[in-house]
Amino acid sequence: MTWNSTMSSGYSSLEEDSEEYFFTARTSFFKKPSGKGTESKDVEKERELRTEFSREEIRQKIELYNSMTKDHLKMTLGHTGVYTGFIKVQMDLRRPVTVRGGQRGAGGAMVGEAFYLPRGVTNTLHISSNNTVRQVIVALLNKFTVADNPAKYALYKRYHTEEQVYVCKLADGEQPLFLRLVAGPDTETLSFVLREQQTGEVMWDAFSIPELRNFLRILDKEEEEQKEAVIRRYDVYRQRLQEALMALRGPS
């Protein structure tokens, strides 16, 4: 099943050691080499920027940020030193998600259904500088009424360095709005992407029984579609062979 809602973009409010990959326009998605001395100065500089700033420095950076933004999604500094603003997160999920409020099961309880969310959907979240990566993930899942365990997902930052694009997994305790402030409002410089955890293997134990049953139904449906496609293809071949044999034999 495919998510066919019109939620191509959205807005929500949420107040109150990493893996790195890179790719270029001429290459596929590769794991970044781990050899010493291969990291560019820009990457090292970006890592060094993960520090705290004074209230005055934050105020100056917010003023500069707001002067550069073009979509009116500005940041606001509160009297306590906490600031609020907006981040955009692209959904890049390859596996189906379980959505709450599906069909009613035995006893009248609501049973979740598995859907494929359209890849590339971008959501806008209003968050504070105190909000962490884990809280942002929970907010995104709630926005789409996803019932899956948030631990199955990870938030990545994507940033450009010269001709390469780097994708780095963020730690749960990092603060996305701080990264947004430091990088500026340009999403070409820095953007956020929600993906499944890159564990190398599917963590089936993390799924509930209804989720696994939904996956089996999806696999059964896809298997039947593939069978029908193969049967149709060979029916066409058989028909063409029969027509060729009749042409060679000539009229009886």
Side-chain angles (χ1 to χ4, degrees):
M1 301 180 69
T2 303
W3 186 275
N4 56 7
S5 172
T6 58
M7 289 189 290
S8 59
S9 63
Y11 163 83
S12 293
S13 180
L14 181 64
E15 292 193 17
E16 178 295 58
D17 302 34
S18 66
E19 301 172 25
E20 292 193 12
Y21 300 83
F22 73 93
F23 61 90
T24 66
R26 300 178 61 184
T27 62
S28 301
F29 202 77
F30 296 97
K31 181 168 278 189
K32 185 179 177 182
S34 57
K36 294 183 179 179
T38 59
E39 293 181 337
S40 67
K41 293 181 179 179
D42 289 338
V43 176
E44 293 174 353
K45 179 180 178 182
E46 193 279 334
R47 285 178 172 173
E48 292 174 359
L49 289 174
R50 295 186 183 179
T51 58
E52 294 183 358
F53 294 103
S54 67
R55 180 184 175 88
E56 179 59 23
E57 289 174 323
I58 291 293
R59 185 189 65 79
Q60 293 175 359
K61 287 184 176 294
I62 289 177
E63 288 184 356
L64 177 61
Y65 182 98
N66 290 341
S67 68
M68 296 171 59
T69 185
K70 299 178 180 179
D71 51 13
H72 306 292
L73 300 180
K74 300 182 182 295
M75 293 193 185
T76 303
L77 178 62
H79 67 278
T80 61
V82 176
Y83 51 97
T84 59
F86 300 85
I87 62 169
K88 295 181 179 181
V89 182
Q90 184 183 59
M91 309 289 281
D92 186 20
L93 304 180
R94 291 171 171 79
R95 295 193 291 268
V97 299
T98 302
V99 181
R100 293 188 295 268
Q103 299 177 351
R104 291 190 178 276
M110 299 299 294
V111 179
E113 293 188 13
F115 288 89
Y116 282 99
L117 286 177
R119 295 178 63 181
V121 172
T122 299
N123 278 268
T124 301
L125 294 178
H126 186 223
I127 65 176
S128 80
S129 56
N130 287 338
N131 290 133
T132 64
V133 164
R134 180 53 50 188
Q135 291 172 325
V136 168
I137 292 174
V138 171
L140 286 169
L141 298 181
N142 287 338
K143 179 176 178 61
F144 285 94
T145 65
V146 175
D148 294 337
N149 186 346
K152 299 177 185 177
Y153 304 94
L155 191 66
Y156 290 77
K157 68 173 182 178
R158 181 168 52 204
Y159 54 100
H160 294 247
T161 301
E162 297 177 351
E163 295 182 356
Q164 294 180 342
V165 180
Y166 293 85
V167 179
C168 175
K169 178 182 174 182
L170 296 174
D172 285 349
E174 293 193 70
Q175 298 164 323
L177 192 61
F178 175 79
L179 299 177
R180 180 78 279 162
L181 175 64
V182 171
D186 187 3
T187 55
E188 288 296 320
T189 302
L190 173 74
S191 59
F192 298 103
V193 183
L194 183 72
R195 293 177 175 170
E196 292 93 350
Q197 289 277 11
Q198 301 294 332
T199 60
E201 296 183 359
V202 179
M203 301 171 60
W204 296 115
D205 292 342
F207 293 90
S208 65
I209 292 179
E211 288 176 327
L212 294 173
R213 287 174 177 168
N214 279 330
F215 294 159
L216 287 175
R217 283 196 290 268
I218 291 174
L219 290 175
D220 290 340
K221 182 175 180 294
E222 293 179 349
E223 182 181 11
E224 289 300 319
E225 292 174 349
Q226 291 296 324
K227 287 181 180 178
E228 293 174 0
V230 171
I231 292 173
R232 287 195 299 269
R233 185 164 66 250
Y234 279 92
D235 283 344
V236 172
Y237 292 159
R238 185 180 297 104
Q239 182 179 354
R240 290 178 179 174
L241 285 172
Q242 290 174 347
E243 292 174 352
L245 286 172
M246 293 178 62
L248 289 173
R249 292 173 180 172
S252 55

